[in-house]
Every structure is written in structure tokens, then in C-alpha cells.
Amino acid sequence: MKKPLSTRTKILINVGVVIGVAVMIAIVLFATRTPTPPSSTGSASAPQVLRENSHRLSTAADGKVTVVEFLDFECEACGAVYPVVEDLREEFDGEVTFVTRYFPIPSHTNAVNSAVAAEAAARQGQFEAMYSKLFETQTQWGEQPESRADLFRTYAEDIGLDLELYDADIQDPAVLERVMEDQREGTALGVQGTPTFFLNGEQLELSTLEAFRAAIEGAVRE
């Protein structure tokens, strides 16, 4: 005749069964969970390389290849790479989507002012025009200790913006917040300086501009 189990033993067995069931459930859940999507298509709360409201300079119909640049309009390196990006846009026209996002560097006096000017222009459908204007004139206003917001207003006039609407948008806190949203998200994605490029959601580590082109071409040819 078997000896009856003690109360302590019964408790230990019950606990063991509960733990075993919990482990089995965890294993099933892990095996059947939906993989976390890459940052470019993540949930609304997760950092994303690309968002619906990100500014697209060029759009490829198939959406296969996307290049996202986090930039600062006052950054000299961004100014230097601007014509390269323009050449790449022409070379891969219709094949690559080129996107820009704001990442104003705190040490640049007019980094935020210029980004706000670009975002105000975007509200009138003229982001690209202001984007080009700011880079093409960067040597005239960059690296200066005083605000050049008045100069940016003349650029708004040059590209044909409604100045009354532009002035209102410049003062709208939502415009500044839109700029800072990009900066915060860039930081969350690991952006530490400008320009920083992402190719199909992956941050590029580039040593030469030719390597940049080769990376894009490789993605297009895949």
C-alpha cells in the first residue's frame, strides 16, 4: 500500500503543474507570435524611419527602395551631400523613393529656424522648393550667431508662398512640434549627427559617396 502524499508534497506538485503549463503557454505564444516589423513600418508608438507625413522628394511607384535622410539645413556636410542626392534622384528616377526628415543640431543657431521655414513651406505644398533654396544659399546664412528668420521669409517670397499664411505658420507651435518630432524620432533610431541615411529601414555606415551609390544600386537590382 502506497503511503499517502503529504500536504506539502501535494502543494509542490500543484505548483509544478502550474509552472509547467505556464512554460508551455509561453513556448506556444513565442512560436506563433507575429514578428516585430522593422522600424520603417512599426507601430505608431515605436520609432519609425519613415512615416506617412515624412517629406518625399521623389516617389518610386513600386515602393521597393527607399532612402531616408535625417538632415540639418545648416549642416555643412548636409550642404555638401545635397548635390549628390540630387544626382542620385535623377539617376534613380522612378526607382527609388527619396525622403527627408528634420534633425536640427542644437549648436547651429539657425537649424531650427530653417527647418521651421521648410515646414511652413510644406504646408503650402512647396517643401522641395524651400529645401533646395536653403541648401543652395547655405553659405550666405549658415554658421552665423544671429537668427536669419527674416532672410528665410525672403526665400518664402522668392518661391511664391502666401506670406500672410507663411507668417502665421511660422508662429504656429504645431509647425515647430512637427520639426521636433522628427528630431526626437531620429534620436530614438540612433541618429547622432547629420547627414544620416537609412536604406530600406537600415542605417547606412558609409565611408565614401561611391559606396552610397553602390548601396542604392544594389537594393534596386535585388
Side-chain angles (χ1 to χ4, degrees):
M1 182 174 177
K2 293 182 178 180
K3 183 179 180 181
L5 297 175
S6 67
T7 301
R8 181 174 180 277
T9 301
K10 289 180 181 179
I11 293 173
L12 290 174
I13 291 174
N14 289 336
V15 169
V17 170
V18 171
I19 292 174
V21 171
V23 169
M24 288 300 296
I25 292 174
I27 291 172
V28 171
L29 288 176
F30 182 81
T32 59
R33 69 187 176 90
T34 301
T36 302
S39 58
S40 59
T41 56
S43 67
S45 59
Q48 298 180 49
V49 174
L50 178 65
R51 290 191 176 272
E52 287 298 320
N53 66 349
S54 298
H55 298 305
R56 292 156 175 80
L57 299 173
S58 305
T59 302
D62 61 11
K64 176 185 173 184
V65 181
T66 300
V67 173
V68 178
E69 178 187 4
F70 281 83
L71 59 80
D72 174 349
F73 288 109
E74 192 170 357
C75 165
E76 291 182 350
C78 294
V81 83
Y82 162 72
V84 175
V85 171
E86 293 300 289
D87 287 345
L88 291 171
R89 287 178 59 198
E90 182 177 353
E91 180 178 355
F92 295 102
D93 184 37
E95 297 180 293
V96 177
T97 297
F98 285 87
V99 180
T100 66
R101 299 192 67 180
Y102 306 114
F103 197 81
I105 303 298
S107 60
H108 291 161
T109 302
N110 285 287
V112 171
N113 287 338
S114 55
V116 166
E119 185 59 26
R123 286 193 168 192
Q124 297 189 43
Q126 293 295 325
F127 172 81
E128 185 176 351
M130 183 62 85
Y131 158 87
S132 297
K133 188 76 171 178
L134 288 167
F135 276 131
E136 289 167 3
T137 63
Q138 187 193 70
T139 57
Q140 300 174 23
W141 58 268
E143 301 297 327
Q144 296 184 22
E146 69 278 357
S147 169
R148 301 312 306 275
D150 289 345
L151 179 62
F152 301 150
R153 189 178 189 275
T154 69
Y155 295 166
E157 185 174 17
D158 290 344
I159 65 176
L161 297 187
D162 178 327
L163 291 183
E164 184 175 349
L165 182 56
Y166 174 84
D167 290 340
D169 286 337
I170 288 293
Q171 298 300 320
D172 186 346
V175 171
L176 174 60
E177 176 58 21
R178 170 68 182 77
V179 170
M180 302 317 291
E181 282 176 359
D182 271 9
Q183 184 194 53
R184 288 194 296 270
E185 191 152 46
T187 299
L189 290 165
V191 176
Q192 297 181 336
T194 56
T196 293
F197 290 94
F198 289 80
L199 176 60
N200 287 347
E202 297 295 326
Q203 186 172 338
L204 292 176
E205 298 293 340
L206 302 172
S207 56
T208 66
L209 294 176
E210 182 53 38
F212 184 22
R213 183 194 174 282
I216 296 173
E217 184 173 30
V220 169
R221 305 300 174 226
E222 284 181 355

